[in-house]
Amino acid sequence: MKSAAKAMQAEDTAETGAQQIRDAIREAIVERRLSPGTKLSESDVGNLFKVSRTLARAALQALSYEGLVSVEKNRGAFVAYPSPEEARQIFAARRLVEPGILREAAARITPADVKQLKQLLLEEGRLMSERGQTARRAEIKASGDFHLMLAEISGNAIMQRFMEELVARSSLVIALYGQSTASSCGHSEHGDIISAIESKELDRACQLMLHHIAHIETDLDLRERKSLGLKEAFEL
Amino acid sequence: MKSAAKAMQAEDTAETGAQQIRDAIREAIVERRLSPGTKLSESDVGNLFKVSRTLARAALQALSYEGLVSVEKNRGAFVAYPSPEEARQIFAARRLVEPGILREAAARITPADVKQLKQLLLEEGRLMSERGQTARRAEIKASGDFHLMLAEISGNAIMQRFMEELVARSSLVIALYGQSTASSCGHSEHGDIISAIESKELDRACQLMLHHIAHIETDLDLRERKSLGLKEAFEL
DNA sequence: GTGCAAAAGATCGTATACAATTTCATCGCT
DNA sequence: AGCGATGAAATTGTATACGATCTTTTGCAC
């Protein structure tokens, strides 16, 4: 699926160098190997990937357009640290677009798509029962892939790209404000949505999707964390 | 409004050089001073704005993320030439998100906002009656600003940015496939939508918005134009 | 005159170099 | 000791340089 998405948008427009670095860093952010606020200096990134600062910079700029890193003038790039307000807007956007995407997807879905969705679900379940960091990370990715796949099925490349941005940023928000150590997404809810689509209960599928998103938000603690600056941190 | 949008997202994150060039080119594209397919070589852009190719390149890359220019590897950057399929997806995306944005906006709208919207409408009407290229260009911009302002009122910066992209790309589509020499947007329909919002007829406002978008699409001729390569062009 | 091949020209891809700005440590003062 | 100023180190902002790839032109054979 990932490869399909890539193949669709690009042929030789592939900006080989920077693109690869961008993807690598994005993956690291989405899988939470990089924490919000981490500094990403151009030189460091360049050295790490064995390229010049030019390419490193281009990659960071690209990520800044996606909202995954914030670059501050003359200060450098950092893994984005979404504010509570930003977090709310990200999920508001998802509530706004995902039902619509779902409807589009349901209208065009093929048996092969359903099969692939269920495959994804299975894989997600398998990872959930596994222990270990790698499994956890793969699970995070898989749970986002469910939403992304619906966008892909919808057949609208623009909405697909937008969803990719939203899912990636959601991962950051959950990393920052998520409370339950449990997984990012209620796994069973994904299955329910597929069932509703299969039985053509479109309105119900949308309801389930909205509940699902609300459910994720419920697990967030969106109170302003004022950096708690060293003094307060120790005067208990 | 434009300044408000900028102030919100950026403070010193302003990437001064490239950002300015990017904005200038975008404006030129949206106002149709640059036609789809026009070549934008890095050197030319750099010379034009009296900066190095580095900055020109950064600006073009940025525009490519917004879908306004397409860069082809080792060949150069061109003002985007959206395919009919792309055009359909752009408007499908607008149909998907604009009703939701409208609902959000209606929930938060203040009297001051209404006043500003009407102001915009008035200005739009004034430009419509005027003659001349400059008036036409200003009108195109104004008609898009109506939709953008609703997004701004909705208070969701993410959806606002997405709408900015969609409106800009719509302008390209209309430039390519629009038939009526008339303006890009049914002017009166904007007024109707405001009225519906004022009288809290939310469902009706959404319906009007959908009709409005459909109305714009009706004016498009989305048939594949195969470049009509010089020979066919003259053998009538 | 037509068609293909090779070289010249133009344009992009990437690296490196230098200037401007910020950050941090050091020093002196209160 | 605490606080502010000053200078060095680090980092980003921008320009230039060189190599790679594509385009176009030129020239030769047919």
Side-chain angles (χ1 to χ4, degrees):
Chain A
M1 176 191 122
K2 183 170 52 180
S3 54
K6 263 181 204 163
M8 171 172 294
Q9 81 148 40
E11 190 75 355
D12 53 5
T13 181
E15 195 74 20
T16 46
Q19 216 91 333
Q20 263 180 281
I21 297 171
R22 168 171 74 80
D23 291 346
I25 297 180
R26 178 176 32 217
E27 193 170 293
I29 293 177
V30 170
E31 291 182 8
R32 307 196 201 162
R33 301 198 302 273
L34 283 170
S35 306
T38 302
K39 169 142 198 177
L40 302 172
S41 90
E42 296 176 356
S43 317
D44 289 354
V45 172
N47 290 341
L48 185 57
F49 289 94
K50 310 254 211 283
V51 295
S52 77
R53 215 158 60 78
T54 306
L55 290 191
R57 182 186 182 82
L60 291 171
Q61 287 292 114
L63 287 167
S64 128
Y65 275 103
E66 303 179 24
L68 290 184
V69 320
S70 71
V71 310
E72 299 175 29
K73 184 171 173 174
N74 281 319
R75 280 189 29 87
F78 305 84
V79 178
Y81 196 106
S83 69
E85 176 57 22
E86 240 176 300
R88 272 185 280 269
Q89 292 184 1
I90 290 169
F91 280 97
R94 291 188 62 166
R95 279 194 303 270
L96 204 158
V97 302
E98 295 216 52
I101 289 174
L102 181 56
R103 284 198 141 81
E104 288 281 329
R108 310 171 100 261
I109 202 166
T110 69
D113 290 329
V114 175
K115 191 173 163 192
Q116 224 178 331
L117 272 172
K118 287 184 175 172
Q119 193 83 28
L120 204 63
L121 211 69
L122 233 62
E123 174 74 0
E124 198 185 334
R126 192 180 64 71
L127 287 163
M128 228 164 131
S129 63
E130 238 179 75
R131 292 265 167 262
Q133 285 262 311
T134 25
R136 194 91 314 153
R137 280 168 187 158
E139 183 199 341
I140 293 169
K141 192 184 192 66
S143 111
D145 278 351
F146 172 78
H147 297 262
L148 255 31
M149 188 159 198
L150 282 178
E152 187 183 354
I153 293 171
S154 84
N156 189 321
I158 295 167
M159 292 309 303
Q160 189 182 337
R161 201 166 60 76
F162 188 46
M163 272 302 297
E164 271 163 27
E165 181 182 322
L166 288 178
V167 167
R169 295 177 79 171
S170 295
S171 178
L172 265 180
V173 169
I174 295 169
L176 263 177
Y177 302 109
Q179 301 187 95
S180 85
T181 64
S183 80
S184 46
C185 254
H187 169 65
S188 65
E189 297 177 2
H190 287 174
D192 296 342
I193 292 171
I194 297 182
S195 302
I197 294 176
E198 271 192 294
S199 53
K200 302 289 181 196
E201 304 172 85
L202 225 61
D203 290 326
R204 179 153 163 277
C206 286
Q207 279 305 111
L208 284 172
M209 177 63 87
L210 285 173
H211 272 95
H212 175 48
I213 298 173
H215 193 261
I216 301 174
E217 278 189 271
T218 306
D219 188 52
L220 302 177
D221 177 14
L222 289 179
R223 279 174 301 199
E224 201 76 60
R225 302 224 211 313
K226 39 176 89 78
S227 52
L228 197 56
L230 185 57
K231 302 98 173 285
E232 300 95 321
F234 285 95
E235 54 181 39
L236 75 153
Chain B
M1 178 189 119
K2 184 172 49 178
S3 53
K6 262 182 204 164
M8 172 172 294
Q9 81 146 39
E11 191 75 354
D12 52 5
T13 182
E15 195 75 19
T16 46
Q19 216 90 335
Q20 261 180 284
I21 297 170
R22 168 172 73 79
D23 292 345
I25 298 179
R26 178 179 28 220
E27 194 171 292
I29 293 176
V30 171
E31 290 182 10
R32 308 194 202 165
R33 300 198 304 273
L34 284 169
S35 306
T38 303
K39 168 142 199 174
L40 303 171
S41 89
E42 297 176 354
S43 316
D44 290 352
V45 172
N47 290 342
L48 185 57
F49 289 94
K50 309 249 212 283
V51 295
S52 77
R53 215 160 56 81
T54 306
L55 290 191
R57 180 186 183 81
L60 291 171
Q61 287 291 114
L63 288 167
S64 127
Y65 276 103
E66 301 178 26
L68 290 183
V69 321
S70 72
V71 312
E72 299 176 27
K73 186 171 174 177
N74 282 319
R75 279 189 31 87
F78 305 83
V79 179
Y81 197 104
S83 68
E85 175 58 21
E86 239 176 300
R88 273 184 279 267
Q89 292 185 1
I90 289 168
F91 280 97
R94 291 187 64 166
R95 280 194 304 268
L96 204 157
V97 303
E98 294 215 52
I101 289 174
L102 181 56
R103 285 198 140 81
E104 288 281 329
R108 310 170 100 260
I109 202 166
T110 69
D113 290 329
V114 175
K115 191 174 164 193
Q116 225 179 328
L117 271 173
K118 287 185 175 169
Q119 193 82 28
L120 203 64
L121 209 68
L122 232 65
E123 173 73 2
E124 199 184 332
R126 191 181 64 72
L127 287 164
M128 230 162 129
S129 64
E130 237 179 74
R131 291 265 169 262
Q133 284 263 310
T134 24
R136 193 91 314 152
R137 280 167 188 161
E139 184 200 340
I140 292 169
K141 192 185 192 68
S143 111
D145 277 353
F146 172 79
H147 296 262
L148 255 31
M149 188 159 200
L150 282 178
E152 187 182 355
I153 293 171
S154 83
N156 190 321
I158 294 167
M159 293 309 302
Q160 188 182 337
R161 198 165 61 76
F162 188 46
M163 272 303 296
E164 272 164 27
E165 182 181 320
L166 288 177
V167 168
R169 296 178 76 171
S170 296
S171 177
L172 266 181
V173 168
I174 294 168
L176 262 177
Y177 302 108
Q179 302 187 96
S180 85
T181 63
S183 80
S184 46
C185 254
H187 170 64
S188 66
E189 297 176 1
H190 286 173
D192 296 342
I193 291 172
I194 297 181
S195 302
I197 294 177
E198 272 192 294
S199 52
K200 302 288 179 196
E201 303 174 84
L202 225 61
D203 289 326
R204 178 152 165 279
C206 286
Q207 279 306 109
L208 285 172
M209 177 62 88
L210 285 174
H211 272 95
H212 174 49
I213 298 173
H215 193 262
I216 301 173
E217 278 189 89
T218 305
D219 187 52
L220 302 177
D221 177 14
L222 290 178
R223 278 174 302 198
E224 201 76 61
R225 301 224 211 314
K226 40 176 86 80
S227 51
L228 198 57
L230 184 58
K231 304 100 172 282
E232 298 96 323
F234 286 93
E235 52 181 41
L236 74 151

